[in-house]
Amino acid sequence: MEVDDNKQDGKLQREQGTEEALSDQKVMAGEALDRRNVWEPSVYYALGKESFYFAGHNISIRESMDAYGALIWPGAIALCQFLENNQHQMNLMDKAVLEIGAGTGLLSIVASLLGAWVTATDLPDIMPNLTFNLLRNTKGRSRYTPQVAALSWGQDLERDFPSPSYHYDYVFAADVVYHHECLADLLKTMHHFCRPGSRTTLLWANKIRFQSDMRFTESFMSSFNATLLSELPQQEVRIYKATAKE
Ligand SMILES: C[S@@+](CC[C@H](N)C(=O)[O-])C[C@H]1O[C@@H](n2cnc3c(N)ncnc32)[C@H](O)[C@@H]1O
């Protein structure tokens, strides 16, 4: 009988212990929920996916937080919209297009879907995601298979892209101006591909954010024949068109 009583006590204690543990868990879960509401990570490393509809196609872009070039920026979206809305004035069919700082490749994809022969370039680290997005969205849909190449602004341009052989009708640049140390190299790259006599047209779309952006814009405007094509006040994006000064 004593043994049975002890067993009963033990069972009671275990049950009480289990109830306490459950109630502790509930409190902890509640606290975790409260914490979730006040704390958010500043960097989130999961891959994301963005969907767009341009040039008659659904476009799915893989993004990540690993690098600026793995995100879609407002300049790219603005230029895609501009190209789609102005297909008659800016006909890309069978045109050679180079994009610098292509990032996720959205703009190059749209140019490719609009019939251009596209070379999308960026830093070497950006190549895998850029290639993935370009192939996934243009395979079986584009007139020409888009090319991908590493191009670091201002580096080995004459060696890797010698001017007589590498001629483009258009050079695209979206949101390539922000707070970084390579603005002089960027301008040098623009001039390399947009030379006197080349008849290459440069389209540059950028959200204007900093004083340094304004200084770059001044150098850009004074060193090219440049005009402001479009301004989107809501997005704070400007689209410029430029050709070389002869
Ligand atoms: C702000 S992101 C814009 C990406 C894309 N054009 C868009 O609008 O979504 C700037 C891009 O420039 C590239 N970039 C930055 N510095 C560079 C450099 N020195 N040479 C080549 N590309 C560079 C980055 O890798 C990135 O893809």
Side-chain angles (χ1 to χ4, degrees):
M1 195 62 183
E2 246 180 46
V3 176
D4 278 353
D5 281 351
N6 284 344
K7 265 193 198 162
Q8 285 295 340
D9 284 346
K11 192 177 164 205
L12 206 62
Q13 275 169 10
R14 271 204 308 280
E15 277 171 0
Q16 278 169 350
T18 313
E19 270 169 28
E20 272 170 29
L22 279 174
S23 120
D24 280 350
Q25 276 174 16
K26 272 187 198 162
V27 172
M28 279 158 65
E31 284 174 354
L33 271 176
D34 289 345
R35 274 203 303 278
R36 192 187 64 179
N37 291 336
V38 293
W39 180 82
E40 287 181 10
S42 57
V43 180
Y44 180 57
Y45 282 99
L47 284 170
K49 208 181 69 178
E50 284 285 336
S51 299
F52 297 88
Y53 187 82
F54 284 118
H57 293 278
N58 287 312
I59 298 171
S60 174
I61 297 290
R62 187 174 75 174
E63 283 188 300
S64 91
M65 296 292 284
D66 297 349
Y68 283 171
L71 291 169
I72 300 158
W73 291 67
I77 299 172
L79 206 38
C80 289
Q81 196 66 66
F82 180 85
L83 291 173
E84 181 168 74
N85 294 347
N86 295 278
Q87 287 178 49
H88 294 299
Q89 298 96 302
M90 206 78 54
N91 185 356
L92 295 185
M93 190 60 73
D94 298 325
K95 297 291 191 309
V97 170
L98 175 80
E99 185 178 5
I100 56 173
T104 63
L106 175 64
L107 177 56
S108 282
I109 290 164
V110 172
S112 176
L113 294 173
L114 290 171
W117 179 79
V118 175
T119 304
T121 69
D122 207 299
L123 294 169
D125 286 356
I126 307 299
M127 293 295 105
N129 197 44
L130 176 59
T131 309
F132 175 86
N133 282 326
L134 275 173
L135 292 183
R136 144 208 271 201
N137 288 287
T138 59
K139 207 169 174 193
R141 294 169 158 190
S142 288
R143 207 168 157 85
Y144 304 98
T145 304
Q147 310 295 303
V148 178
L151 188 163
S152 303
W153 301 330
Q155 310 296 307
D156 301 318
L157 294 173
E158 206 44 63
R159 188 195 71 190
D160 296 342
F161 297 86
S163 36
S165 357
Y166 286 79
H167 172 267
Y168 299 94
D169 299 298
Y170 289 97
V171 173
F172 291 167
D175 263 316
V176 287
V177 175
Y178 49 100
H179 193 65
H180 62 69
E181 304 293 315
C182 309
L183 291 175
D185 283 335
L186 172 62
L187 196 60
K188 183 177 162 189
T189 306
M190 289 174 162
H191 280 288
H192 176 80
F193 290 107
C194 204
R195 290 168 176 263
S198 67
R199 289 193 289 154
T200 300
T201 300
L202 172 61
L203 292 184
W204 168 45
N206 223 96
K207 178 163 175 155
I208 303 300
R209 304 173 177 90
F210 308 111
Q211 279 300 316
S212 53
D213 299 354
M214 295 308 296
R215 282 197 295 276
F216 179 90
T217 308
E218 280 165 23
S219 309
F220 175 86
M221 296 299 280
S222 62
S223 61
F224 284 107
N225 282 324
T227 49
L228 178 63
L229 271 186
S230 174
E231 190 159 12
L232 295 92
Q234 229 176 342
Q235 293 91 331
E236 296 171 59
V237 171
R238 291 180 188 169
I239 303 178
Y240 293 93
K241 174 182 169 179
T243 52
K245 281 189 169 170
E246 296 299 331

